[in-house]
Amino acid sequence: QRRVHGGKFLVFMSVLALYSAAVLVLGFVMLTFRQKIVGAVFPFFYKVYNGRVGLWMHAKSVRTAHTKASHSLSRTHVVGDKRGFSVRVIPVLSDNYAYLIVDNETKHAAVVDPADAQTVLAEVQSADVELKMVLTTHRHWDHAGGNKEMAENYEGIKIFGSATDQVLACTDFVKDGDEIRLGNTSIKILYTPCHTRGHVVYSVKCASSSSSVSSTAGHIMKTDGANDTVDDTITHATNRAVFTGDTLFVAGCGKFFEGDATQMYKNLYHTILSHPNDTLIFPGHEYTVSNLEFAVWAEPGNNDALNKLTWASEVRTNRMPTVPSTIAEEKLYNPFLRCTMPSLQARTARQTPIDVMDALRHLKNGNAHKQPINKQA
């Protein structure tokens, strides 16, 4: 009987040893060939995400978000004077931003990327405006997922988006250079393919500007004779804003899901940077702290990035949004807009701006700034 029990024990130990060895080998293979494995399976899962399964997952994430406090507090930014436009920052999902643009004179309004229609509709109703349109930057569900519900609640509403992306519930497909009028406010569509093949950004301009506003590398400040304001409304002297979706973030840029560094370089350096320095940047996500941590790692001597990180970290402890920034600010600390800098060329061991951008994107994707020092590039 002891022999029987001893034999079973040996079998058990042998199986356990084989299982442990298999786990170790699998772990080694995963660590060694992680990028190749991810590269091989990513297209399949990405296709699934962009289909019905992804839409179901999005609906679930919306329901989950409704059970929690929003990731940020709402805030209104007034661009220009009474003939300008206002932007209401609307936090949705776990880190997304939707935006309500209101032409101040006519009270005509547009919504950018209403991923969570219920939350956005509540903001529209409280604003007492006439909603005319939805502006969709790209087809991903965390941006376009609320379009159908918006259309169901506003009969005849126009939903703009890219034909290339086949945006959900789109009524009016747009192309590069098209212009839309929202009351007295002009909205120009700019094609920025890379994150998705049909990604667009919306360049918004009003007729005039006034008031005194200053900006620093740390953040935008309202000048009213007092200290920095944390009021619900902030006024800006500029007359322009760009709603960049997942092309440009504060201190970062979007992943190259359907494009490459050459396309993103053109998007950022030729399309986005063609705007004046005081143009406000309203991105699609609250990624600022993470992006700045990478920026500080990429350029350790960049005090502008460090100061912005200190400010952003403090702001986020109070659940305040870190958006918008400006073109001028982004040039100071966004590594993806600094690809010609010798410091970043040295950091990436690349020379051409496009190669530097490609290297930076790979480093950010791999969380290089979070790796142990002896593993960092």
Side-chain angles (χ1 to χ4, degrees), residues 81-290:
D81 57 15
K82 65 181 180 180
R83 290 181 294 169
F85 61 92
S86 301
V87 179
R88 183 68 172 174
V89 178
I90 308 173
V92 295
L93 305 178
S94 62
D95 55 32
N96 280 75
Y97 285 121
Y99 298 101
L100 177 64
I101 307 172
V102 180
D103 180 76
N104 293 336
E105 194 164 8
T106 64
K107 298 302 178 183
H108 291 177
V111 170
V112 180
D113 289 349
D116 177 355
Q118 183 177 328
T119 298
V120 170
L121 286 168
E123 290 281 358
V124 172
Q125 291 165 5
S126 66
D128 191 26
V129 295
E130 186 178 353
L131 187 62
K132 292 289 189 179
M133 63 188 71
V134 170
L135 306 175
T136 314
T137 59
H138 62 293
R139 74 170 187 269
H140 288 163
W141 301 122
D142 62 330
H143 294 261
N147 284 3
K148 186 177 179 181
E149 189 173 345
M150 296 295 296
E152 291 170 350
N153 280 272
Y154 283 87
E155 185 178 355
I157 191 173
K158 289 183 176 292
I159 298 180
F160 294 93
S162 165
T164 304
D165 265 13
Q166 288 296 300
V167 167
L168 180 69
C170 191
T171 63
D172 293 70
F173 290 119
V174 297
K175 62 182 183 298
D176 186 51
D178 284 352
E179 291 195 23
I180 305 168
R181 297 294 298 188
L182 180 69
N184 298 315
T185 300
S186 171
I187 303 172
K188 187 173 183 178
I189 290 84
L190 301 174
Y191 189 46
T192 56
C194 184
H195 186 71
T196 65
R197 288 189 299 274
H199 196 294
V200 298
V201 302
Y202 295 92
S203 179
V204 184
K205 182 182 178 182
C206 62
S208 66
S209 63
S210 65
S211 151
S212 176
V213 180
S214 65
S215 67
T216 71
H219 58 295
I220 296 171
M221 299 189 301
K222 176 183 175 183
T223 302
D224 57 3
N227 295 325
D228 280 6
T229 177
V230 291
D231 294 345
D232 183 59
T233 301
I234 299 177
T235 300
H236 304 275
T238 181
N239 66 348
R240 292 175 181 265
V242 181
F243 295 82
T244 56
D246 286 0
T247 290
L248 178 68
F249 302 122
V250 178
C253 75
K255 291 182 177 179
F256 308 165
F257 284 142
E258 301 178 21
D260 55 32
T262 299
Q263 288 177 307
M264 187 57 79
Y265 181 85
K266 181 180 179 181
N267 294 339
L268 299 183
Y269 287 78
H270 294 271
T271 302
I272 301 296
L273 292 187
S274 67
H275 292 79
N277 281 332
D278 63 354
T279 302
L280 299 174
I281 303 296
F282 289 96
H285 290 268
E286 181 58 69
Y287 289 162
T288 303
V289 171
S290 175

Side-chain angles (χ1 to χ4, degrees), residues 3-110:
R3 289 180 180 177
V4 172
H5 286 299
K8 289 182 177 179
F9 178 74
L10 287 174
V11 171
F12 172 76
M13 292 302 294
S14 298
V15 171
L16 182 61
L18 287 172
Y19 175 78
S20 300
V23 170
L24 288 172
V25 170
L26 181 61
F28 174 78
V29 171
M30 290 293 291
L31 288 173
T32 305
F33 302 102
R34 178 176 57 185
Q35 289 187 340
K36 291 184 178 179
I37 293 172
V38 171
V41 302
F42 175 78
F44 170 76
F45 287 105
Y46 185 66
K47 185 175 182 179
V48 169
Y49 168 77
N50 285 309
R52 291 182 179 273
V53 173
L55 184 57
W56 174 83
M57 293 170 61
H58 169 72
K60 186 177 180 180
S61 68
V62 169
R63 291 193 296 271
T64 299
H66 289 171
T67 65
K68 302 177 180 179
S70 64
H71 62 79
S72 304
L73 300 176
S74 297
R75 200 169 216 177
T76 299
H77 295 265
V78 179
V79 183
D81 57 15
K82 65 181 180 180
R83 290 181 294 169
F85 61 92
S86 301
V87 179
R88 183 68 172 174
V89 178
I90 308 173
V92 295
L93 305 178
S94 62
D95 55 32
N96 280 75
Y97 285 121
Y99 298 101
L100 177 64
I101 307 172
V102 180
D103 180 76
N104 293 336
E105 194 164 8
T106 64
K107 298 302 178 183
H108 291 177

